[in-house]
Amino acid sequence: METVVSGIRSTGNLHLGNYYGAIQNFVKMQHEYNCYFFIADLHSLTTHPTPANLHGNVKHVLVEYLAAGIDPEKATIYIQSDVPEIAELYLYMNMNAYMGELERSTSFKDKVRANPDNVNAGLLTYPVLMAADILIHKATKVPVGKDQEQHLEMARTFGNRFNRLYNNEYFPEPYAFTFGESLVKIPGLDGKGKMGKSEGEGNAVYLSDTPEAIRKKVMRAVTDSGPTTENQEKPVEIQNLFDLMKVVSTPDTLAHFDNLYNTMQIRYGDLKKQLAEDMIIATAPIREKINDIAADAPYLRQVARHGAIKARESAARTIKEVREIIGFRSF
């Protein structure tokens, strides 16, 4: 089976964007591919989390991966820092990454603009660590969004550069991968871009949110004063609500509110109430599992250890071969 690698940064709870945009497909992939799904706690160090926050955030993601349907018997779920071979490969790849190409990375330039007081080396070499995450398992398929495609291209560059430098076609080329249907882009509640943790607390609906929290967030979603002509094009903030409804509501519900909008009879309060209830129903099974799994410390410990052993088997094999290719020899 071909190898798939993907990770999610441990920066807090997972939201509907993570679930419908990625994890739902992970659950399907695990039956047909050799899947490695990791929690990227090393990547999260660029923002300097406290030790308590770091551990708590890793636990949140691990619990929610499991609650969403990723099976540790079918896929390898592991915590990035439990596999030290990744850090070793990161070191080797850094030796072949050039300042100019790292400084041209779009995400690095964005981070510098957003956080001018925290321009650390980890941000600069973020694409190198991402490459190590992928290359350590010699993955060929990587489920990524548009915003990560440049990083994936850089992973190919670093792998190919290693192959040329040592005259050994060792690393295969990884490519972006969309399993089955195309990835779903989940908009946020702030009327702007996609749903995300960094856009503010009210922008994202989390898988662990209580029904009350979901209702409160959805009722605060940005709207306008309503349509002024029949069948007019919906502004972005209104289209976002309909796009969310497309994901969590029935086709009949969506058609009903679409018709009300097109005939200028829409009441946004009714739309939001319906959307909130449909989100609550859609997330209820996951929310119940989150609560059960989070309380089962022995099971979480077992999953993390089992995943680390499986991931390290693959990673150790790669590091052994890479060291031999580079020329490290024991005396």
Side-chain angles (χ1 to χ4, degrees):
M1 291 194 290
E2 286 187 276
T3 297
V4 172
V5 168
S6 189
I8 290 183
R9 274 170 60 109
S10 53
T11 52
N13 300 80
L14 302 181
H15 51 70
L16 293 184
N18 299 131
Y19 180 69
Y20 289 108
I23 297 172
Q24 206 176 39
N25 269 353
F26 291 178
V27 173
K28 297 172 189 170
M29 285 176 208
Q30 66 186 346
H31 302 288
E32 297 183 34
Y33 294 91
N34 178 30
C35 292
Y36 291 90
F37 299 131
F38 67 94
I39 299 162
D41 56 343
L42 295 178
H43 282 290
S44 74
L45 295 179
T46 58
T47 57
H48 308 143
T50 66
N53 285 343
L54 177 62
H55 181 73
N57 287 341
V58 168
K59 180 183 176 183
H60 283 317
V61 179
L62 178 59
V63 166
E64 290 169 10
Y65 260 170
L66 295 167
I70 297 178
D71 184 346
E73 297 301 320
K74 292 189 168 63
T76 302
I77 308 173
Y78 62 99
I79 298 157
Q80 191 184 27
S81 60
D82 281 346
V83 185
E85 291 84 358
I86 295 169
E88 185 173 345
L89 186 59
Y90 171 46
L91 171 68
Y92 301 149
M93 289 294 155
N94 265 326
M95 303 303 180
N96 304 325
Y98 301 119
M99 282 286 290
E101 65 189 345
L102 295 174
E103 287 172 335
R104 286 193 298 273
S105 164
T106 304
S107 68
F108 176 65
K109 289 188 280 191
D110 289 345
K111 291 286 195 311
V112 169
R113 277 193 295 270
N115 303 284
D117 298 326
N118 182 29
V119 184
N120 58 65
L123 287 174
L124 181 68
T125 59
Y126 187 101
V128 187
L129 182 53
M130 181 173 165
D133 290 324
I134 297 163
L135 298 174
I136 198 76
H137 301 299
K138 301 176 80 172
T140 54
K141 288 181 160 47
V142 185
V144 293
K146 280 280 180 197
D147 56 341
Q148 293 287 327
E149 283 185 355
Q150 186 183 31
H151 286 164
L152 188 54
E153 186 179 332
M154 293 173 85
R156 285 194 293 274
T157 297
F158 300 143
N160 288 333
R161 188 175 292 155
F162 178 93
N163 293 347
R164 286 196 304 274
L165 185 63
Y166 296 105
N167 196 27
N168 189 317
E169 290 301 310
Y170 183 70
F171 288 115
E173 290 193 332
Y175 285 94
F177 173 54
T178 302
F179 180 77
E181 60 214 53
S182 59
L183 293 178
V184 181
K185 181 186 172 187
I186 303 298
L189 295 172
D190 60 0
K192 297 172 187 171
K194 67 179 184 178
M195 189 171 285
K197 301 169 196 152
S198 59
E199 310 305 320
E201 178 62 27
N203 176 59
V205 173
Y206 296 104
L207 299 179
S208 58
D209 274 347
T210 62
E212 293 74 23
I214 292 173
R215 290 187 188 104
K216 191 176 290 186
K217 286 180 180 180
V218 174
M219 293 311 290
R220 289 177 179 166
V222 176
T223 53
D224 62 10
S225 56
T228 53
T229 59
E230 291 192 354
N231 300 310
Q232 74 176 53
E233 186 177 345
K234 299 179 184 77
V236 173
E237 61 270 23
I238 304 305
Q239 186 60 54
N240 283 355
L241 295 178
F242 276 88
D243 287 345
L244 285 166
M245 188 168 265
K246 202 177 294 179
V247 174
V248 298
S249 305
T250 66
D252 287 350
T253 300
L254 178 66
H256 170 71
F257 283 100
D258 198 41
N259 180 60
L260 289 177
Y261 186 88
N262 290 334
T263 56
M264 299 168 57
Q265 299 176 70
I266 190 83
R267 289 159 57 99
Y268 289 136
D270 294 340
L271 170 71
K272 289 179 180 180
K273 283 177 188 169
Q274 182 67 53
L275 178 59
E277 295 311 309
D278 290 343
M279 282 182 176
I280 291 164
I281 291 166
T283 55
I286 298 173
R287 189 163 47 251
E288 288 166 15
K289 288 179 186 170
I290 286 171
N291 294 332
D292 291 341
I293 295 169
D296 193 345
Y299 175 63
L300 288 174
R301 196 157 43 243
Q302 176 195 334
V303 168
R305 287 178 180 170
H306 181 59
I309 290 167
K310 286 170 68 180
R312 288 200 70 182
E313 281 176 8
S314 166
R317 189 163 52 245
T318 300
I319 285 297
K320 178 177 180 293
E321 292 165 354
V322 163
R323 287 174 68 89
E324 288 171 358
I325 290 168
I326 291 172
F328 293 119
R329 301 279 193 277
S330 298
F331 285 93

